[in-house]
Structures are given as C-alpha cells and as structure tokens.
Amino acid sequence: MPSGPQPQGTAGTRPARRKPLAPAPFDVEAVFPELTGTAREVTLLYPRAGRPGPGDSSVGGPLLWPADEPWPMCAAPDHDKPLDAPVAMVPVLQLYARDVPGLVFPAGTDLLQILWCPLVHDDGQYAARPRLHWRSAALTADGATTNPPPHPHTAEDDFLPRACTVSPTPAVEYPNRDLPAELGALLAERSEALKAKRGYDYFEVATTQQSKIGGYPGWTQEPDWPDCTDCGTRMEHLLSITATEPATGRWLPLDERAPGENGAAEPTGRAKADPALLESFGHGMDLGDLGGMYFFVCRTCPDTPYTHRYDC
C-alpha cells in the first residue's frame, strides 16, 4: 500500500500504454478444433511498481475519491482475529474506461474502483472482503479529496498491494480449468506431444493466469462460477487479481524480455524476463499461496450486482 500522499493526476487525461506481445506461435483452433468458439477477449493488466496518481488506472494506487464520501471501514464481526476498532479498507484497483475499451461500464459510469478489508474473514472465502464502486470520473473529480486515505491499524501482508501502474493490453485466451473433464484430459495428452515437438504446449500459449479484465478466471482450484442471487443467472467474469505474473514465455511482454537468445524474437516458453526488471513485476501480494481473487457481475439485473471468489 502506498505510504503518504501520492502525485495528483488529472482524471481522464493520462491514458495507459499497452504492452507489446509476441504473436501466438500457432492458430489454437486450427491445432485444437475442439476449442472452436471458446475464445474470449481479455485485457491483461501487467501491474508494475510505480507512482500512479488518482487520475490513473492502477493496482494499489490512490483512488479518485469523493470528498463528501467517508472512507470505507470494515467492522465485520467475522474477522479472523478479534478487533476492537473498524479497519480501513485499502485501494486494490482503479480502472478508467479510456484504458479498458473492452470493459462494459454501467450507464453513466466510466470509473471502476475496488477496495478490500486487508484481513481474513471467516465467511467461507477466508480472504479479504472486497467492495466495488462504479462512478462517473467527471462528477467524482469535481469534488475529489486530496487527502490520503487512512491506514489500516492491522492487516495481513497477503492483502496489501504496493502501488502499481498498469498497461491494459488486449489479447485472446482460451479455457484452462473451465474445460469439460474429458476434453481437458484429451487436450493435456495432445498438449504433451506438442510440447515435445515444438517446445511449448496449449496451456502455455492459449491460457494465462495473471491479473486481467474479462477472459477466463485464473482458477488454481476447481472452477466455482457463481449464480446471481437476485435472478439466478450465471454471473459474468469481470476481472481477476492474481498473485502470479508471467516472467517467462508467451505472455511476457517483448519490451521486458532479456537480451540475447531469450530476447524479443523468442515467442516460446524459453523467453525470460530481463533480470533488471523483475523486481518491478506485480503488486506484491501472495493472496494466500499464490492464489487469486475473481470478481463476477450480473448484467441482467439493473443494479449490476457483484460477488467474488477466492482460491489459493
């Protein structure tokens, strides 16, 4: 979590830059025709340690926050440790619509913010408890506070992100754990043959577990898709915040690859990150045991209800 006031950005004027990615080394649906129609558009965030302002999309950075809205505090009775005072929630994610054109915002909004209580909650998820806000950036900026948020008086390090800039980068991915069991077993067998022949497999090329918008959740355990409690519709994956970021292989950006044989020309699993850049990768949260928090929304209901899942 950032310490002290951060540089003040101007809302809506500092578009984030995308990362250059290597092309997929093969046409996924040509090699695995069983996956035809399962591709999903995804926006990969690539959080990197930095000093974003409230006018920037960020992970763990300062939020554009209304001065007349109290900072959210968590006084839930199910904290894993007994507490005498409410705990200040911490900024986790801020996204401006200009940076993620593939993300559908509710009418009248163009700013998404996520905070969470940085303590384990004994509620079946056993993780931080998040809160999500959709806002109008222009309306919020007119009365935004310049004061830093309160610091939590106690927290789990696993749920305290360091401030990161993001580089929202559009891509296409295919299912991993969301495959039917028989198809998953078939693809795993054929993927091993592909790995032996070409040096990379289906899962390395077509699936990715990293912080992202849309696409498929980066499950580390069995999928647990929620249904909307209001209408019963299966909810849509909104975004994932995960502990893992690619430091090798297909999804490692070209401008962060090591020079020489593992440099920009290498599109396969042999590509490695420039060691000088590795310290800047990711938001610094382990999320349990290299797990993830997955957010879901219902687009059928008018108030866009949301929920989350956590695995590690």
Side-chain angles (χ1 to χ4, degrees), residues 13 20 25 31 35 42 57 63 70 75 87 91 97 124-125 128 144-145 157 166 177 181 193 208 229 239 241 288:
T13 63
V31 177
L35 294 172
V42 63
S57 294
L63 304 183
V87 177
Q125 296 284 331
T145 182
D157 289 343
V166 293
R177 286 186 175 268
T208 179
T229 56
L239 61 92
I241 301 293

Side-chain angles (χ1 to χ4, degrees), residues 41-59:
E41 293 183 354
V42 63
T43 300
L44 309 173
L45 289 179
Y46 293 109
R48 300 294 185 261
R51 292 182 63 82
D56 300 316
S57 294
S58 66
V59 169

Side-chain angles (χ1 to χ4, degrees), residues 51-309:
R51 292 182 63 82
D56 300 316
S57 294
S58 66
V59 169
L63 304 183
L64 187 73
W65 196 262
D68 60 356
E69 184 175 330
W71 188 260
M73 310 292 286
C74 182
D78 59 358
H79 285 133
D80 194 48
K81 58 181 76 172
L83 299 174
D84 295 327
V87 177
M89 301 185 84
V90 298
V92 176
L93 179 69
Q94 176 165 269
L95 293 174
Y96 285 88
R98 66 171 189 266
D99 294 325
V100 282
L103 176 60
V104 178
F105 283 73
T109 71
D110 58 359
L111 178 63
L112 170 62
Q113 297 172 331
I114 293 178
L115 309 88
W116 63 38
C117 172
L119 290 173
V120 173
H121 290 252
D122 188 9
D123 59 358
Q125 296 284 331
Y126 301 104
R129 178 170 292 171
R131 184 179 299 181
L132 184 152
H133 296 272
W134 301 98
R135 303 186 188 276
S136 162
L139 293 178
T140 306
D142 283 344
T145 182
T146 58
N147 297 323
H151 290 254
H153 60 82
T154 184
E156 299 287 347
D157 289 343
D158 277 2
F159 301 114
L160 286 178
R162 64 176 175 176
C164 291
T165 61
V166 293
S167 299
T169 301
V172 173
E173 70 171 344
Y174 289 81
N176 188 343
R177 286 186 175 268
D178 282 302
L179 290 168
E182 291 185 3
L183 179 56
L186 174 64
L187 288 188
E189 181 179 338
R190 290 170 54 194
S191 189
E192 288 182 8
L194 182 68
K195 177 86 170 184
K197 181 178 180 180
R198 302 193 187 183
Y200 42 77
D201 63 23
Y202 162 78
F203 300 98
E204 294 170 324
V205 170
T207 73
T208 179
Q209 184 183 34
Q210 62 189 97
S211 297
K212 57 190 173 183
I213 311 299
Y216 289 91
W219 306 110
T220 59
Q221 300 178 25
E222 289 302 308
D224 182 21
W225 287 85
D227 292 330
C228 178
T229 56
D230 294 335
C231 69
T233 302
R234 176 164 154 165
M235 301 181 83
E236 170 189 324
H237 174 237
L238 178 68
L239 61 92
S240 292
I241 301 293
T242 66
T244 54
E245 288 293 324
T248 62
R250 151 89 167 100
W251 302 104
L252 176 64
L254 295 174
D255 62 348
E256 295 180 330
R257 297 187 176 196
E261 62 179 350
N262 292 321
E266 178 56 79
T268 72
R270 293 185 294 274
K272 295 181 180 179
D274 185 337
L277 301 176
L278 277 175
E279 284 297 318
S280 70
F281 281 28
H283 44 60
M285 297 184 291
D286 286 340
L287 299 177
D289 184 17
L290 299 181
M293 187 85 79
Y294 317 115
F295 292 84
F296 302 85
V297 294
C298 177
R299 302 285 187 185
T300 301
C301 294
D303 56 349
T304 318
Y306 70 91
T307 191
H308 69 284
R309 294 289 187 265

